[in-house]
Each structure stands twice: as structure tokens, then as C-alpha cells.
Amino acid sequence: MYLLFILLFPLLIGSALLIFKPKNAFAISLAASLIELAATAFVLQEASLSPVSFSAPWVAEAGLSFSLYVDGISGVLIGLCALLVPFIVATTANTDRANNSQFQGLMLAMQTALMGAFLAKDAFLFYFFFEASLLPIYFLAAIYGGENKNAITFKFFVYTLFGSLFFLIALVFVYLQTPGEFHSADMDVLYQTAKGLSADQQGFLFAAFFLAFAIKMPVFPFHTWQPDTYTVAPAQGTMLLSGIMLKMGTYGVIRLVLPMFPVGVATWGLTASVLSVIGVIYGSIIAIQQKDAKRLLAYSSFAHVGLMSAGILSGSIEGIQGALYQMLSHGINIVGLFFVIEIIERRTKSREIAQLGGITQFSYPLTVTFVILSLGSVALPLTNGFIGEFLLLKSVFDQNLTLGIIAGITIILGAVYTLRLIQKSMFGNVSRITSDFADLTGAEKAVLIPLSALVILGGIFPSTVLGFSEPAVQQLIQWFK
């Protein structure tokens, strides 16, 4: 029942905010997200001893069940979701969106959709939440976004919905192959069934599943919706998209693609890895050229997820463990970085890198936290980003030496665009728009300081997460083999 609670509680509170429109929406939303975090921590404690599950009939005549499941793999993702949402809610403090009940309600509704995708053990239930997550983020971006928001969010919605159609068709095909009069969509049954399909069938099904997840992550060349959507969405929407939502794609590859289509991965996995690594290099090069700080971070996120995809497709324990750890690290880092840019934009009304400068002279705490978060993003040793990136690069090297060398270039390119952003915005001469820059408020410090601490703690104590996820990853590898 704890699984039902952590799934439905955010939706319950979010719906109440949308319906009743209380004046203290921020306090309610923040309290709800903290309760959700505490409940999730309890579930993770139980899952560290043995997997936690819940199941009830959903569409019994079709063999579908409302099945939820937490092991070391899904546990990392629900932990990430529960951890980040309170920070994302807290970033609205002292803004016009703090007590906007519609805005707060949509964020909590989004949390339920994300938690549902990570908790689902029935593949159609996963698909339901995979698609349901589009609705709250669409309204957040379409209502509260920036210039040209309607066209950009519509493109995002249609693009991702189109990819999911291939996923649904392929899922129905595998479902119809399962034994029994009513068939089954339980993931374990699907694993066993899909592995018995022919090499050609697995190849086509791999392509259909991977296309949907590649768009969601996104992976080159299915990324064209991402930079515009990340840029135009409100800061909190961008944090939800980059910090958590894109992980539904990487999680889907781990949870569904690898164990269901091992022959398909063996046949087409290297091709998909090549596309992923192209995205790493392409995203990094484009990030270097960006003039808008938020857009730079959008391409940075695109580059990071390409490496995660390549590591997962290696099918190795290092690749999967590295991807899980990097999903957690990237979520923490990117939410903090987008918040830094949001703070700068609030004070200067600009995100243009060339217009900034000298902010350190007015806010030393902002500079320190920005640097720590950035160093985590570029995978400096003793930061959280180093652990995942090291494991991912090792897995890609083991899969293909040439691909590993090319992927390794991302470390250099990442340092170039990140250090350029720090140098241009924090140091140098004070500009016209930064001449009266205000120091961090207490609410802003309450977000940035804990996130910065997590960057360092994640680099020093990685075994806590890696030890938690390893048994489930080992079991998944057995399915893959």
C-alpha cells in the first residue's frame, strides 16, 4: 500500500490545488513534496532488503494488472523523482508562481505520472504513465512558457506522441504472443516471450521501442524538439523535463529493451550507440556556440543523455550501473544549473552570456554553488558526475574502442562550454545589467547549497547507490544474456 501512496498522493494534492485554488498553494505543494520524499525514503529502505510490489486487477479480461514494483533499478529513479520535486517546488519561492495553485498543481500531477512510469511492472501501465506525463508538462509550457510557446510545445507534444505510437504497436505485438487465453503484459512474461521471437522480429521490435525512447531522451537525430522546448518552458518545467522526464527514456531502454530483445540489441545496438555518441559530440559542439545560457544547458543535457544511451546499449553491468548513477547525478546537477540561470534572469532580465559578467563581486555564494554544480556536470573527480561518466566511458570502450575514444572527447568539450559560461557570467567586468545584482536570498540558498552538497557527497560515497542497484542490475543482465 505504500507504493499506492507514493504514486497517488501527489496527484491527490495536485488535483486539490487545481480545484480549490487555495491562497497558500506554495506551502501546501512544498509540504506535499516533502511528505512524498519521506514516504519514498521508507519504500527504498524496504526495497534495499527485498523488492517491494503491489498488484491488483486492472483489465482482468485482457490479462492487464495494476502492478507496481520497486527494486534497485526503479528505486534509483523514484528516489530521484522524490528528491528533486521539493527542490523544484522550492525554486518558486517569492515569485509570482509560488501561490499560483494551477502551476503548483500541475507540477504535482507531473510527479505522479513520472513515479507511475518508474513503478509500473505491467508494460501497458508503463505506457499509460509514459504518455500521461505529456499532459501536465504540455500545459506548464503552453500556459507559462516564453516566446512562441504554443508552436514549440505543440511540436514537442506531437513529436513525442508520434514516437510512442511505434512503441504501442510493438508492445501489442509482443503481448499477443504471450501464452494463455487472456495473454499478459507483466514484464517478466514479456521478457520470456520476446526472447523467443525470431531475429528479424526482434530487430524490428527493437527499432520501434528504441525510437520512442530515443525521442523522449532524446538521442540524435530525434532531438530537434528538445532545445526549443527546454528554452521556452518555464524554469520549473525545464527542470522537470531535464531532471526527471528524460530519464523515462533511458529507464525504458534498461527495463524493456535490453531484457526483451537481446538479439535485436546485438544486431542494432552498435548502430544505436553510434547515433548516441554522435549526439554527445554534436550536442557539445553546438553548446559551445550558444549565446543563450539556458539553451547552452539544453544542449549540454542532450550531450549527457547520449552517453547514457551508449552505455546502456553496451549491455554491461558497468554501462547500466553507470547510466543509473549518471541519471541521478545529472538530475541533481541540471536542476541546480537551470536554477542558477533562472536566478540570473530574474535579476538581469537576460540570459545572454555576452551581456553578463562580474556577478561574483555581488554574490559569492552564487558563484561557489554554480562552480560546484558545473564541476559535477563536467565530471571532475570527487564529484557525482565523475562516477557515472567513468563507468559509462568504460562500458563504451569495452564495446568498441573507436567509439569509446570519440565519446571521451565529451569531457574536453564539456569543460570548454561550461567553463566559458562560468567565466563570462561570474567573472570579468561588471556589465550594465549586473551592476546592481542582488545576493542570494535565504530561499535560494536553501535550494542551491543542499544540491551542491549532494554533488560532493555523490562523488565521495557512490557505493550507497551502486550497492543498492547492483542486485537488480545483475538480475537484468541475466535476462539480457
Side-chain angles (χ1 to χ4, degrees), residues 195 257-263 265-266 312-316 475-481:
K195 287 180 71 173
V257 174
L258 288 186
M260 286 179 69
F261 312 119
V263 177
V265 174
I312 293 167
L313 290 166
S314 71
S316 65
Q475 186 177 11
L476 187 87
I477 292 293
Q478 294 304 312
W479 280 111
F480 181 63
K481 292 179 178 178

Side-chain angles (χ1 to χ4, degrees), residues 280-281 284 303-304 307 389 393 406-415 417:
V280 173
I281 303 302
S284 298
H304 277 93
L307 186 58
E389 191 146 323
L393 286 173
I406 296 172
I409 298 173
T410 184
I411 297 175
I412 301 171
L413 296 178
Y417 62 71

